[in-house]
Amino acid sequence: MTTTHFYYTHSLKRFFFLIGCTTFWFGAAAQDLYDLNTIQTIRITFAQSNWDYMLDTATAGSDGYIMAQTVEINGVVFDSVGVKYKGNSTYNANQAKNPFHIELDTYKAHDYGGYTDLKLSNVAKDPSFVREVLGYQILRQYMHAPLSNYANVYVNGNLIGLYVSSESVSKKFVGKHFYSTDNTFVKCNPIGGAGPGSSAKPNLVYLGTDSASYYAAYEMKSDYGWSDLIHLADTLKNYTSSVEELVDVDRVLWMLSFDNAVVNLDSYIGGFAQNYYLYKDDNNRFNPVVWDLNEAFGTFSQTGTSNLTSTSSKQQMSHLLHLNDTQWPLVQELLAIPTYKRMYVAHLKTILAENFSNGSYSTSAQALQALIATSVNTDVNKFFTYSQFQSNLTSDVNAGMSSAPGITNLMNARATYLLSQAEFTAVAPSISAVEVSNSSPLLNSTIWISATTNLATSVYVGYRSTASDRFIKITMYDDGNHNDGAAGDFVFGASIPVEAATIQYYVYAENNNAGIFYPQRAEHEFFSIQAVIPQISSGQVVINEFMAVNTETQVDPNGDFEDWIELHNNTTQPFSLKGVYLSDNAVNPLQWKFPDYATIPANGYVIVWADNDTTQSGFHANFKLSANGESIVLSYVDGTVLDSITFIDQLADISMQRCPNGTGEFEMNTPTFNYFNCIAGIDEQKTMHPYFLFPNPSEGKFQIASVDPIENVQIRNVNGQLIAEIAGLHEKIVSVDMPTNVPGLYLVQVNGNVLKYILK
């Protein structure tokens, strides 16, 4: 059996030091701000003593930020920072401890380890202080969710109290997890907040084609997107069979199963159908992100169809809540599809087995309480007593208008109840082994995946090349013809193409009763295969064309005119660009690394946008090209240079390109973006070299450019008659105004080389 491994993404810490008020950061994405083992210290200083009144006034009015004189995070000081109160039911102008939203970059370009927004919850609904942090800790095992921990918050030197600090679901968040930032982005909370008097619910019910019908229930975080949101709601209602084209169904099923398992009713499955985000990725699919877990583990009791007033009713809440309710289409429409329902139950079983049946959640909760006990005890503005904090892990506590169940009292009984239900006791198939025909396949080869199962009637393998792709599902067969052994032996097989340096995959099996994923956290976790990548030799992949001043020639996928570099594969075989770097600095050739999944097709082209904006989708390098000249270097990490070019001053909207295509010397020419160079013909291009005349044709005014100084220019008509002559120039760019307005073909002789010019 071939051994395979889970694919994990690890983030390295950043390190910093402080000089004056300037912060310097080094390394990969920082985790320090959300380290679960430490309590952060945040000190806010306002110049005004009536800061609370100012924040209350802003909340009651435009909800704008008030400038703090400084905000200090773990000893790092930032000046001129935006601060405001946040929250709906947890905010009250008459209480001392209100939730904060700190925006470091409101007035200046500050960030702390790459983070600019701090969302600080005042723990107004949770005697245990662990619900939100514990909930996110569990959820991150199964889908992308915010990081979360604790912070002691001071204002003007006074301790306000211990807060929960959770990562903001912002463009930075979606860029990190979904690899783009400019697509439709929706916050699914009613404008003005949810409550008994609000009828607006972001439940994805289809309300017709008028976007105004949706304004009260959703907050659009992107510049556009209402038509996308309406299309999703319409598809859920009328075209459910196509829903996987518009939404990541697996992430939705993980969200629904988590919310149900931990009785998180201030969520999509609850009375207000809120507290989640939707982001549309570059695969045109919406991805859900759960937000606001302060009332998870049974504190919120309204399902929307009933009120679970007792802990026992929460312990025994149906796992099929809203199965037949049209006001919750994500539940009703998706779980009406048998396979999705079996997947949903499989996810629920995984959450229960990995966190509650084994008691690990209780161990985690106890560790969190041990970490924060002293801070809770010294929090004079907390909403519950220290005794209630200590007891709420196991015992119910009255939480104002509702009850906060003891977390273990709720969840131990809930796990037992759910696992006793018929759909949980139904005999599911098992997957005892998954084998790969070749654990080190060649790029662009085909491999077989085989799964040894028991009691499975249907099996598929999902595969993709990169985390930004959607999984492609391929049916596996037990017919003896798909590398699956004998027909009917419960070994299923299918072939998948190796189209990139890494292949990620998982297997799902089901029968009429139940389903199972392998690995069980799929699609969030998966197996991976590393392909054997042929090394590129010099001349096989080259820098073929580039433009350093792009003002009107070609826009990138975001609609911007940016510098660009074109690579060309001169061979009949595709190559992986894993381990290949591009740079505009020969001293630092490893400036920008191609993603591991990047490939260049046989005889094909790849465009890299040199715009110093790596947050955009596609290949965007972390440098720009200089119009005054510099170098471009294509190399491997070991220093092997595949190609390089050093160039001088560049002209706007004129490219430098190899002629002949892929092999010739560089010359200025009309750009042939992502296409074969020298379209005017090789012989004519050679005649033009090293001079370039543009625009051509024109109405009598043109320029001549050269890499070498131009000494003289003669212009003749087709009969050889001299029309004009300019001598003694010694310039690299010469502007010419034709002395005639007679249309036709003219011959322009530059330093003895003849160019053709058409006067129109």
Side-chain angles (χ1 to χ4, degrees):
M1 175 180 174
T2 299
T3 302
T4 52
H5 303 278
F6 285 116
Y7 178 90
Y8 294 99
T9 300
H10 296 283
S11 296
L12 302 176
K13 289 185 176 180
R14 276 184 171 174
F15 300 91
F16 66 93
F17 61 93
L18 184 67
I19 300 178
C21 289
T22 303
T23 309
F24 296 85
W25 293 89
F26 302 90
Q31 295 296 311
D32 300 299
L33 185 60
Y34 296 106
D35 180 9
L36 268 175
N37 298 312
T38 59
I39 300 174
Q40 313 300 297
T41 300
I42 299 173
R43 299 179 183 273
I44 307 169
T45 301
F46 292 98
Q48 306 88 348
S49 60
N50 65 337
W51 58 269
D52 179 58
Y53 171 79
M54 295 175 65
L55 292 175
D56 285 332
T57 302
T59 302
S62 62
D63 198 31
Y65 291 95
I66 301 299
M67 182 187 289
Q69 191 172 25
T70 61
V71 169
E72 178 184 324
I73 304 173
N74 299 328
V76 182
V77 180
F78 304 94
D79 69 294
S80 306
V81 173
V83 179
K84 67 178 180 179
Y85 285 144
K86 73 177 191 74
N88 181 26
S89 62
T90 56
Y91 165 79
N92 190 311
N94 297 316
Q95 64 194 22
K97 185 182 180 184
N98 275 310
F100 287 103
H101 180 182
I102 299 173
E103 189 175 74
L104 295 176
D105 61 347
T106 302
Y107 307 105
K108 295 186 177 181
H110 295 312
D111 74 272
Y112 183 91
Y115 296 103
T116 56
D117 287 83
L118 281 71
K119 298 291 186 75
L120 302 171
S121 169
N122 60 350
V123 204
K125 303 289 185 71
D126 179 15
S128 76
F129 268 76
V130 303
R131 279 175 163 81
E132 189 152 17
V133 177
L134 177 64
Y136 280 132
Q137 186 179 12
I138 292 170
L139 182 59
R140 285 194 300 273
Q141 299 173 98
Y142 310 110
M143 63 186 294
H144 298 312
L147 299 167
S148 186
N149 64 356
Y150 298 96
N152 280 314
V153 178
Y154 298 77
V155 178
N156 285 5
N158 299 313
L159 175 65
I160 304 300
L162 181 69
Y163 283 71
V164 167
S165 174
S166 296
E167 182 183 9
S168 174
V169 182
S170 62
K171 285 192 173 184
K172 290 183 176 63
F173 180 94
V174 298
K176 176 172 66 173
H177 294 297
F178 305 123
Y179 311 101
S180 63
T181 60
D182 297 327
N183 300 331
T184 300
F185 187 18
V186 188
K187 183 179 182 181
C188 298
N189 284 78
I191 301 298
S198 173
S199 60
K201 295 181 179 180
N203 52 10
L204 298 178
V205 168
Y206 181 58
L207 303 175
T209 59
D210 186 353
S211 59
S213 301
Y214 301 82
Y215 290 165
Y218 306 87
E219 181 182 348
M220 190 62 60
K221 308 297 286 186
S222 50
D223 295 333
Y224 60 90
W226 290 108
S227 60
D228 288 338
L229 181 66
I230 293 169
H231 185 35
L232 173 60
D234 183 26
T235 301
L236 275 171
K237 179 180 180 180
N238 299 310
Y239 310 99
T240 312
S241 61
S242 301
V243 71
E244 278 202 59
E245 300 302 315
L246 292 184
V247 69
D248 188 325
V249 170
D250 185 70
R251 281 197 176 101
V252 171
L253 295 178
W254 276 119
M255 177 180 78
L256 297 178
S257 59
F258 168 81
D259 285 339
N260 190 285
V262 303
V263 197
N264 179 38
L265 290 174
D266 194 15
S267 69
Y268 179 84
I269 68 168
F272 300 130
Q274 63 167 358
N275 284 334
Y276 67 105
Y277 288 79
L278 290 171
Y279 181 74
K280 188 176 183 181
D281 61 26
D282 285 342
N283 299 307
N284 294 316
R285 298 202 305 172
F286 279 105
N287 297 267
V289 180
V290 174
W291 175 248
D292 196 358
L293 297 181
N294 67 324
E295 295 190 78
F297 300 101
T299 299
F300 192 83
S301 60
Q302 299 174 42
T303 70
T305 54
S306 65
N307 192 9
L308 305 180
T309 56
S310 67
T311 298
S312 62
S313 64
K314 296 168 185 175
Q315 292 167 341
Q316 298 182 24
M317 186 181 78
S318 172
H319 64 288
L320 299 177
L321 179 68
H322 303 312
L323 179 65
N324 299 310
D325 293 332
T326 59
Q327 293 301 299
W328 287 267
L330 280 180
V331 177
Q332 183 204 29
E333 299 294 348
L334 293 185
L335 299 194
I337 298 172
T339 290
Y340 290 164
K341 186 178 179 183
R342 288 189 277 267
M343 290 176 170
Y344 166 76
V345 173
H347 286 341
L348 261 171
K349 289 166 69 175
T350 297
I351 292 172
L352 294 174
E354 293 187 347
N355 300 280
F356 301 103
S357 297
N358 62 7
S360 64
Y361 82 103
S362 177
T363 302
S364 296
Q366 292 175 52
L368 291 173
Q369 281 209 329
L371 172 70
I372 63 176
T374 300
S375 293
V376 172
N377 196 28
T378 57
D379 182 351
V380 297
N381 296 314
K382 59 182 174 288
F383 296 86
F384 304 93
T385 67
Y386 185 71
S387 176
Q388 289 173 320
F389 158 74
Q390 292 177 305
S391 67
N392 193 224
L393 271 190
T394 58
S395 303
D396 296 3
V397 169
N398 182 29
M401 297 177 63
S402 62
S403 173
I407 294 177
T408 59
N409 181 33
L410 171 72
M411 292 310 305
N412 290 346
R414 176 146 184 77
T416 299
Y417 169 78
L418 288 175
L419 292 173
S420 70
Q421 301 305 296
E423 281 165 311
F424 290 79
T425 60
V427 179
S430 63
I431 302 175
S432 58
V434 172
E435 298 184 15
V436 181
S437 61
N438 186 347
S439 60
S440 300
L442 290 173
L443 186 67
N444 301 305
S445 64
T446 298
I447 58 172
W448 289 93
I449 306 290
S450 60
T452 303
T453 73
N454 187 34
L455 302 178
T457 58
S458 176
V459 183
Y460 74 76
V461 57
Y463 77 94
R464 66 185 182 187
S465 298
T466 172
S468 63
D469 295 335
R470 60 179 292 184
F471 280 99
I472 299 170
K473 298 175 181 178
I474 302 293
T475 300
M476 303 180 76
Y477 296 92
D478 180 17
D479 59 1
N481 298 318
H482 290 80
N483 203 48
D484 60 303
D489 62 356
F490 289 105
V491 177
F492 290 75
S495 63
I496 60 175
V498 182
E499 298 173 325
T502 300
I503 297 296
Q504 302 168 354
Y505 72 97
Y506 70 94
V507 173
Y508 172 77
E510 68 176 17
N511 54 34
N512 289 333
N513 301 314
I516 187 171
F517 287 87
Y518 192 84
Q520 292 190 357
R521 294 181 183 180
E523 293 177 343
H524 188 63
E525 289 185 356
F526 38 80
F527 298 115
S528 64
I529 304 166
Q530 300 299 319
V532 175
I533 306 168
Q535 287 287 99
I536 303 170
S537 299
S538 178
Q540 291 182 316
V541 175
V542 298
I543 301 165
N544 196 48
E545 186 177 5
F546 64 89
M547 180 176 287
V549 188
N550 176 15
T551 66
E552 61 180 15
T553 302
Q554 183 72 39
V555 296
D556 70 3
N558 293 282
D560 301 319
F561 291 101
E562 304 287 6
D563 304 346
W564 51 268
I565 302 165
E566 176 192 275
L567 305 186
H568 175 56
N569 183 352
N570 281 318
T571 77
T572 57
Q573 74 172 93
F575 285 107
S576 169
L577 296 176
K578 181 179 180 180
V580 176
Y581 289 76
L582 196 61
S583 176
D584 68 340
N585 185 344
V587 179
N588 179 23
L590 307 184
Q591 195 164 353
W592 179 76
K593 181 180 181 292
F594 278 93
D596 287 350
Y597 62 83
T599 60
I600 185 167
N603 298 123
Y605 302 87
V606 163
I607 297 294
V608 177
W609 298 98
D611 57 1
N612 195 25
D613 190 352
T614 57
T615 64
Q616 297 184 13
S617 58
F619 299 145
H620 291 259
N622 58 355
F623 59 84
K624 294 185 176 183
L625 298 180
S626 171
N628 298 321
E630 57 179 344
S631 297
I632 305 174
V633 182
L634 184 70
S635 65
Y636 273 117
V637 66
D638 63 2
T640 301
V641 176
L642 300 176
D643 197 12
S644 65
I645 172 67
T646 299
F647 59 93
I648 58 173
D649 295 355
Q650 296 295 293
L651 303 174
D653 302 305
I654 300 299
S655 74
M656 290 287 288
Q657 59 185 247
R658 288 188 181 277
C659 187
N661 185 68
T663 59
E665 298 295 326
F666 278 94
E667 62 182 46
M668 290 183 175
N669 212 331
T670 302
T672 57
F673 179 87
N674 205 31
Y675 193 68
F676 193 90
N677 295 344
C678 317
I679 56 177
I682 292 175
D683 291 338
E684 185 173 348
Q685 292 288 343
K686 286 181 176 178
T687 302
M688 294 169 62
H689 181 72
Y691 308 103
F692 184 68
L693 187 154
F694 61 96
N696 188 8
S698 73
E699 295 180 346
K701 293 184 178 182
F702 59 87
Q703 289 183 305
I704 306 168
S706 172
V707 295
D708 299 317
I710 299 171
E711 303 295 343
N712 59 79
V713 176
Q714 291 183 340
I715 303 173
R716 299 177 183 272
N717 62 23
V718 291
N719 297 319
Q721 181 183 0
L722 183 65
I723 303 298
E725 183 174 11
I726 311 171
L729 295 170
H730 202 71
E731 301 286 346
K732 292 185 178 181
I733 299 176
V734 175
S735 297
V736 176
D737 193 347
M738 286 286 287
T740 178
N741 58 3
V742 179
L745 175 65
Y746 292 84
L747 303 178
V748 180
Q749 190 171 358
V750 183
N751 292 357
N753 296 273
V754 178
L755 311 177
K756 296 177 182 178
Y757 167 69
I758 298 175
L759 174 63
K760 61 180 181 178

Short mmCIF file of all heavy atoms in Angstrom, two decimals, residues 617-644:
data_model
loop_
_atom_site.label_atom_id
_atom_site.label_comp_id
_atom_site.label_asym_id
_atom_site.label_seq_id
_atom_site.Cartn_x
_atom_site.Cartn_y
_atom_site.Cartn_z
N SER A 617 -5.71 37.88 -7.72
CA SER A 617 -5.70 36.53 -8.25
C SER A 617 -4.85 36.48 -9.52
O SER A 617 -4.67 37.48 -10.21
CB SER A 617 -7.12 36.08 -8.56
OG SER A 617 -7.75 36.97 -9.47
N GLY A 618 -4.33 35.29 -9.82
CA GLY A 618 -3.43 35.14 -10.95
C GLY A 618 -1.99 35.31 -10.50
O GLY A 618 -1.67 35.30 -9.32
N PHE A 619 -1.09 35.48 -11.46
CA PHE A 619 0.33 35.64 -11.15
C PHE A 619 0.65 37.14 -11.08
O PHE A 619 0.72 37.82 -12.10
CB PHE A 619 1.19 34.96 -12.22
CG PHE A 619 0.96 33.48 -12.33
CD1 PHE A 619 1.04 32.84 -13.56
CD2 PHE A 619 0.65 32.72 -11.22
CE1 PHE A 619 0.82 31.47 -13.67
CE2 PHE A 619 0.43 31.35 -11.31
CZ PHE A 619 0.51 30.73 -12.54
N HIS A 620 0.85 37.63 -9.87
CA HIS A 620 1.19 39.03 -9.63
C HIS A 620 2.47 39.07 -8.81
O HIS A 620 2.48 38.66 -7.65
CB HIS A 620 0.06 39.76 -8.90
CG HIS A 620 -1.17 39.95 -9.73
ND1 HIS A 620 -1.49 41.14 -10.34
CD2 HIS A 620 -2.16 39.08 -10.07
CE1 HIS A 620 -2.62 41.01 -11.00
NE2 HIS A 620 -3.05 39.76 -10.86
N ALA A 621 3.55 39.57 -9.42
CA ALA A 621 4.84 39.60 -8.74
C ALA A 621 4.89 40.73 -7.72
O ALA A 621 4.10 41.68 -7.77
CB ALA A 621 5.96 39.78 -9.77
N ASN A 622 5.84 40.62 -6.80
CA ASN A 622 5.99 41.62 -5.74
C ASN A 622 6.98 42.71 -6.13
O ASN A 622 7.70 43.25 -5.30
CB ASN A 622 6.41 40.95 -4.44
CG ASN A 622 7.71 40.17 -4.57
OD1 ASN A 622 8.25 40.03 -5.67
ND2 ASN A 622 8.20 39.64 -3.46
N PHE A 623 7.04 43.03 -7.41
CA PHE A 623 7.88 44.13 -7.89
C PHE A 623 7.25 44.73 -9.13
O PHE A 623 6.36 44.13 -9.75
CB PHE A 623 9.31 43.65 -8.19
CG PHE A 623 9.39 42.56 -9.23
CD1 PHE A 623 9.39 42.85 -10.60
CD2 PHE A 623 9.48 41.23 -8.85
CE1 PHE A 623 9.48 41.85 -11.55
CE2 PHE A 623 9.56 40.22 -9.80
CZ PHE A 623 9.55 40.53 -11.15
N LYS A 624 7.70 45.93 -9.48
CA LYS A 624 7.31 46.58 -10.72
C LYS A 624 8.55 46.78 -11.58
O LYS A 624 9.67 46.82 -11.08
CB LYS A 624 6.66 47.94 -10.44
CG LYS A 624 5.33 47.85 -9.70
CD LYS A 624 4.69 49.24 -9.57
CE LYS A 624 3.33 49.14 -8.91
NZ LYS A 624 2.65 50.46 -8.83
N LEU A 625 8.34 46.89 -12.89
CA LEU A 625 9.46 47.14 -13.79
C LEU A 625 9.74 48.64 -13.88
O LEU A 625 8.82 49.46 -13.81
CB LEU A 625 9.15 46.59 -15.19
CG LEU A 625 8.93 45.08 -15.28
CD1 LEU A 625 8.63 44.67 -16.71
CD2 LEU A 625 10.14 44.32 -14.75
N SER A 626 10.99 48.97 -14.04
CA SER A 626 11.39 50.37 -14.13
C SER A 626 11.45 50.82 -15.59
O SER A 626 12.07 50.16 -16.43
CB SER A 626 12.77 50.58 -13.49
OG SER A 626 13.25 51.88 -13.75
N ALA A 627 10.80 51.93 -15.88
CA ALA A 627 10.85 52.49 -17.24
C ALA A 627 12.24 52.98 -17.59
O ALA A 627 12.56 53.18 -18.77
CB ALA A 627 9.84 53.63 -17.37
N ASN A 628 13.09 53.17 -16.59
CA ASN A 628 14.44 53.67 -16.82
C ASN A 628 15.46 52.57 -17.04
O ASN A 628 16.65 52.84 -17.18
CB ASN A 628 14.88 54.53 -15.63
CG ASN A 628 14.01 55.75 -15.45
OD1 ASN A 628 13.60 56.37 -16.43
ND2 ASN A 628 13.69 56.08 -14.21
N GLY A 629 14.97 51.32 -17.05
CA GLY A 629 15.86 50.20 -17.32
C GLY A 629 16.30 49.46 -16.08
O GLY A 629 16.52 50.06 -15.02
N GLU A 630 16.40 48.15 -16.19
CA GLU A 630 16.90 47.28 -15.12
C GLU A 630 17.04 45.88 -15.70
O GLU A 630 17.19 45.72 -16.92
CB GLU A 630 15.95 47.29 -13.92
CG GLU A 630 14.52 46.89 -14.24
CD GLU A 630 13.63 46.88 -13.01
OE1 GLU A 630 14.16 46.90 -11.90
OE2 GLU A 630 12.40 46.85 -13.17
N SER A 631 16.98 44.85 -14.85
CA SER A 631 17.12 43.48 -15.31
C SER A 631 15.87 42.67 -14.97
O SER A 631 15.13 43.01 -14.05
CB SER A 631 18.33 42.81 -14.66
OG SER A 631 19.53 43.45 -15.03
N ILE A 632 15.64 41.61 -15.73
CA ILE A 632 14.65 40.59 -15.39
C ILE A 632 15.38 39.26 -15.39
O ILE A 632 16.10 38.94 -16.34
CB ILE A 632 13.49 40.55 -16.40
CG1 ILE A 632 12.83 41.93 -16.53
CG2 ILE A 632 12.44 39.52 -15.97
CD1 ILE A 632 11.77 41.99 -17.61
N VAL A 633 15.19 38.48 -14.31
CA VAL A 633 15.91 37.22 -14.16
C VAL A 633 14.90 36.12 -13.87
O VAL A 633 14.03 36.26 -13.01
CB VAL A 633 16.94 37.29 -13.01
CG1 VAL A 633 17.71 35.98 -12.90
CG2 VAL A 633 17.90 38.46 -13.22
N LEU A 634 15.02 35.01 -14.60
CA LEU A 634 14.22 33.80 -14.38
C LEU A 634 15.17 32.71 -13.92
O LEU A 634 16.12 32.37 -14.64
CB LEU A 634 13.51 33.40 -15.67
CG LEU A 634 12.54 32.22 -15.60
CD1 LEU A 634 11.29 32.59 -14.82
CD2 LEU A 634 12.17 31.75 -17.01
N SER A 635 14.94 32.15 -12.72
CA SER A 635 15.92 31.21 -12.18
C SER A 635 15.28 30.21 -11.24
O SER A 635 14.14 30.38 -10.79
CB SER A 635 17.02 31.98 -11.44
OG SER A 635 16.49 32.64 -10.30
N TYR A 636 16.05 29.17 -10.93
CA TYR A 636 15.68 28.21 -9.89
C TYR A 636 16.24 28.67 -8.55
O TYR A 636 17.16 29.50 -8.49
CB TYR A 636 16.21 26.82 -10.23
CG TYR A 636 15.29 25.99 -11.11
CD1 TYR A 636 15.69 25.59 -12.38
CD2 TYR A 636 14.05 25.59 -10.65
CE1 TYR A 636 14.86 24.81 -13.18
CE2 TYR A 636 13.20 24.82 -11.44
CZ TYR A 636 13.61 24.43 -12.70
OH TYR A 636 12.78 23.68 -13.48
N VAL A 637 15.73 28.06 -7.48
CA VAL A 637 16.15 28.43 -6.14
C VAL A 637 17.64 28.15 -5.91
O VAL A 637 18.29 28.82 -5.10
CB VAL A 637 15.28 27.70 -5.08
CG1 VAL A 637 15.54 26.20 -5.12
CG2 VAL A 637 15.52 28.26 -3.69
N ASP A 638 18.19 27.17 -6.63
CA ASP A 638 19.61 26.84 -6.45
C ASP A 638 20.54 27.79 -7.18
O ASP A 638 21.76 27.61 -7.18
CB ASP A 638 19.89 25.40 -6.88
CG ASP A 638 19.64 25.17 -8.37
OD1 ASP A 638 19.27 26.13 -9.09
OD2 ASP A 638 19.80 24.01 -8.82
N GLY A 639 19.98 28.81 -7.83
CA GLY A 639 20.79 29.80 -8.52
C GLY A 639 20.92 29.57 -10.01
O GLY A 639 21.51 30.40 -10.71
N THR A 640 20.40 28.44 -10.52
CA THR A 640 20.45 28.18 -11.95
C THR A 640 19.61 29.21 -12.70
O THR A 640 18.40 29.30 -12.47
CB THR A 640 19.94 26.77 -12.27
OG1 THR A 640 20.74 25.81 -11.58
CG2 THR A 640 19.99 26.50 -13.77
N VAL A 641 20.24 29.99 -13.55
CA VAL A 641 19.53 31.02 -14.31
C VAL A 641 19.01 30.41 -15.60
O VAL A 641 19.77 29.89 -16.42
CB VAL A 641 20.45 32.22 -14.61
CG1 VAL A 641 19.73 33.24 -15.49
CG2 VAL A 641 20.91 32.87 -13.31
N LEU A 642 17.70 30.46 -15.78
CA LEU A 642 17.08 29.94 -16.99
C LEU A 642 17.10 30.97 -18.11
O LEU A 642 17.23 30.63 -19.28
CB LEU A 642 15.64 29.52 -16.70
CG LEU A 642 15.47 28.42 -15.64
CD1 LEU A 642 14.00 28.17 -15.37
CD2 LEU A 642 16.16 27.15 -16.10
N ASP A 643 16.95 32.25 -17.75
CA ASP A 643 16.99 33.32 -18.74
C ASP A 643 17.10 34.64 -18.01
O ASP A 643 16.71 34.77 -16.84
CB ASP A 643 15.72 33.30 -19.61
CG ASP A 643 15.89 34.10 -20.90
OD1 ASP A 643 17.04 34.47 -21.22
OD2 ASP A 643 14.88 34.35 -21.58
N SER A 644 17.64 35.65 -18.69
CA SER A 644 17.72 36.99 -18.10
C SER A 644 17.84 38.00 -19.23
O SER A 644 18.26 37.68 -20.34
CB SER A 644 18.92 37.10 -17.15
OG SER A 644 20.14 36.97 -17.86
#
